[in-house]
Structures are given as structure tokens and as C-alpha cells.
Amino acid sequence: MPITVYESFRAVFYTPFYLPHALGAYAAEGVDVRLGTSPDLDQVAAHLGAGQADVYWGGPMRILMNRDRDAALDLVGFCEAVTRDPFFLVGNRPNPDFTLADLTGVTVGTVSEVPTPWMCLQDDLRRTGIDPAGISRVTGATMAENAAALRAGSVDVAQIFQPAVEELVRSGAGHIWYAAASRGPCTYTTLYTVRRTLEAKADELHRMTRAMYRAQQWLHSHTGAEVAATLADFFPDTPAEILAAAIDRYKALEIWGRNPILPREGFERLSAALLSGGLIAEAIPYDACIDMRFAEAAVTGES
């Protein structure tokens, strides 16, 4: 039976999720996985509940946020791929000695498309004793608009992801001040579904997880150029050298996990950020949101 998986949007940091399609890993594991794009990220629970999609990939932020709003929404993550924060702060001048305190004297264009990047950054600020409310930030612009504003000089710093980072750096218009991955494990993207689908389609989702593990192993044994060539059809508008550089930088920052197991440490760091930022009202236990049976079996080679 085919499995329909929805992506949130197209992004380089989702590389491990595209690779099973490009490498034929799903077919090798005997599962038919069909890729679609979410029509509305505010309705992910409804899409999964109605069977419009069997699986989503996205942040555990969505699992936590939906459970916080309605405890009956039994969303569960089962296969992690992005284990650190893939966003950067790119400034309009070199700043090799950057500290988070530097953000108190500049204008920052923060991500508006999704809440997690700012939730995590504001938590970083709080942990260093800085009140996020004291940061002068542009909150309603897209990442593309913030990159353009950085070039134009109307913001000093843009919070963005790849490949815009490489484009700004190579053009000389931007300089990396902060890679959010440097905070350490902070789980960012997993496959997730509703628990009844996890049980009803356990064999297919187990095979899907094994395919993801194959892709993770391949990713970590190949260069950015090789990965970029493999994924060229997914990023037709990105020059090969830019895509390769973006992938190499992400690999160096250990954005992508080497196996599909979602670590408790990363989940708890993300949960704490969402709590401190007010996106969720109370902590939700790891074991209520995460089921690692397929991931652990994939790593140990159990069938």
C-alpha cells in the first residue's frame, strides 16, 4: 500500500528526506512512498487524521504545538533526520568575535515563515541573560525579503537558511555571525504521523525508516558535490556549486543525524525553547511525542 508523505516546503536542510527518493532507497526496502507538499501547515493534524497524508516531515515543534492546543491530537515522531538548528545569523559586515550581546545594538530581520527559528534564538538570548524584547527586529518579512534588506542596508542582520547563506557570503554582501547549530542538539525535523497510523501501517513505516537510515549513511559518506548532483532535480534553480557548498557547510555543522534516532536531549532543548517563548504552555513528555521503535530496529538491523 502506498504511503503519502507531505513536505512542509522545499529546503536544502531537508536533504536527508529527498535522498531516499533520489537513491531508490524506498524501493530497495519494498515500500512505495509518494511525495507531496502540504497545502496548509496549520492543518497538519487534520490532514493526518483524515488520511489525506499518512506521514509529514517537519519540526517536533508541530507535534508539541498541536498537542498543547488539543491533547487528543496524538501526533508522534518516529524518524529524525535534522538534529540541529539549520538557521544562521548573517550580518552586513565581518564579526569574527560575535556574541549574542551584539544583537542588542543592531536591526535583525527574523524568520516569519515558521516560528521555530525565533523561538530557539530567543531562548539562546534568555540563557545568556539578554531580554529578547530588547532586540530591534523586523518580524513580518520573508527570508528572501530579509536577504534583500541586508543587501540594501535596511537591516544589519538576517536570520536565514541555505542556500541564501552561501549566496550572500559568496557575493560579499553577507558574513556569517552565528550558526544556530553551535548550540548543540536541538531536534529540528522528524517524520511524524498520528498514532493509529503508526500502528496500522507499522510495516510500511518501519521500511520507510530503514530507507531513511540508508540515505543517512550514504549522505555522510559522500561529498557535498556528490550529494548536490544527486539532488539536482529537487533544486533546479540553485547552481550546483552553491548547493554543494551549502551541503558541505551543513555537514560540517553536524546538522544531519547519522541515524534516525531522535535524542531526548535535542527534544528537551527544543521543548524548553518553545516554553520560554510562549509557543506552548506546558512541557509535554518525550515519551508521549516520540516513538523510536522503528529507528532503533533500523540501527540494530532488526527486521
Side-chain angles (χ1 to χ4, degrees):
M1 179 179 295
I3 296 293
T4 298
V5 57
Y6 274 178
E7 64 177 329
S8 301
F9 48 82
R10 188 59 46 92
V12 174
F13 76 85
Y14 290 149
T15 283
F17 295 107
Y18 303 125
L19 280 173
H21 296 278
L23 297 171
Y26 286 134
E29 290 293 347
V31 61
D32 181 6
V33 177
R34 302 179 183 181
L35 179 60
T37 301
S38 173
D40 185 348
L41 289 175
D42 289 330
Q43 297 298 318
V44 296
H47 299 157
L48 291 168
Q52 182 175 340
D54 298 298
V55 175
Y56 258 86
W57 75 61
M61 173 274 294
R62 300 246 172 229
I63 300 173
L64 288 161
M65 187 174 66
N66 277 283
R67 280 178 169 271
D68 185 68
R69 293 175 179 175
D70 183 353
L73 294 176
D74 200 11
L75 301 181
V76 58
F78 64 91
C79 174
E80 187 195 58
V82 186
T83 198
R84 295 190 181 209
D85 190 328
F87 283 80
F88 297 77
L89 295 178
V90 177
N92 58 5
R93 57 179 172 81
N95 190 359
D97 299 318
F98 171 81
T99 68
L100 289 170
D102 294 345
L103 297 181
T104 59
V106 297
T107 299
V108 185
T110 55
V111 175
S112 65
E113 290 93 332
V114 290
T116 315
W118 170 247
M119 287 290 105
C120 291
L121 180 58
Q122 65 81 33
D123 192 59
D124 292 343
L125 291 164
R126 292 181 195 277
R127 288 171 186 248
T128 56
I130 300 168
D131 183 357
I135 303 298
S136 174
R137 65 187 187 106
V138 176
T139 60
T142 66
M143 281 181 278
E145 291 168 341
N146 282 331
L150 187 74
R151 292 179 184 274
S154 53
V155 300
D156 302 300
V157 185
Q159 186 185 38
I160 53 177
F161 60 22
Q162 296 282 25
V165 175
E166 300 305 322
E167 293 166 350
L168 285 165
V169 169
R170 288 188 174 220
S171 71
H175 306 268
I176 295 174
W177 284 15
Y178 176 63
S182 65
R183 83 168 63 92
C186 184
T187 189
Y188 228 81
T189 318
T190 185
L191 296 177
Y192 64 95
T193 187
V194 290
R195 194 169 295 277
R196 69 172 179 273
T197 299
L198 192 77
E199 303 300 341
K201 300 188 177 183
D203 180 63
E204 292 93 334
L205 301 190
H206 186 183
R207 292 173 186 273
M208 195 175 177
T209 304
R210 290 205 307 255
M212 281 292 301
Y213 186 36
R214 281 179 181 246
Q216 288 172 310
Q217 292 174 302
W218 187 94
L219 171 61
H220 287 289
S221 63
H222 288 75
T223 66
E226 291 169 326
V227 178
T230 302
L231 295 184
D233 289 347
F234 287 90
F235 301 98
D237 299 325
T238 303
E241 65 275 12
I242 294 288
L243 184 57
I247 291 167
D248 277 331
R249 193 182 300 276
Y250 273 155
K251 287 182 70 176
L253 289 167
E254 300 181 335
I255 295 287
W256 296 313
R258 292 180 176 272
N259 63 59
I261 295 173
L262 193 158
R264 188 178 297 267
E265 176 189 5
F267 176 88
E268 290 177 349
R269 182 63 190 259
L270 174 68
S271 178
L274 304 187
L275 272 169
S276 71
L279 193 66
I280 60 176
E282 60 183 14
I284 301 168
Y286 173 95
D287 293 331
C289 301
I290 305 299
D291 189 324
M292 288 288 97
R293 75 179 93 161
F294 304 143
E296 290 167 354
V299 172
T300 59
E302 297 178 25
S303 59

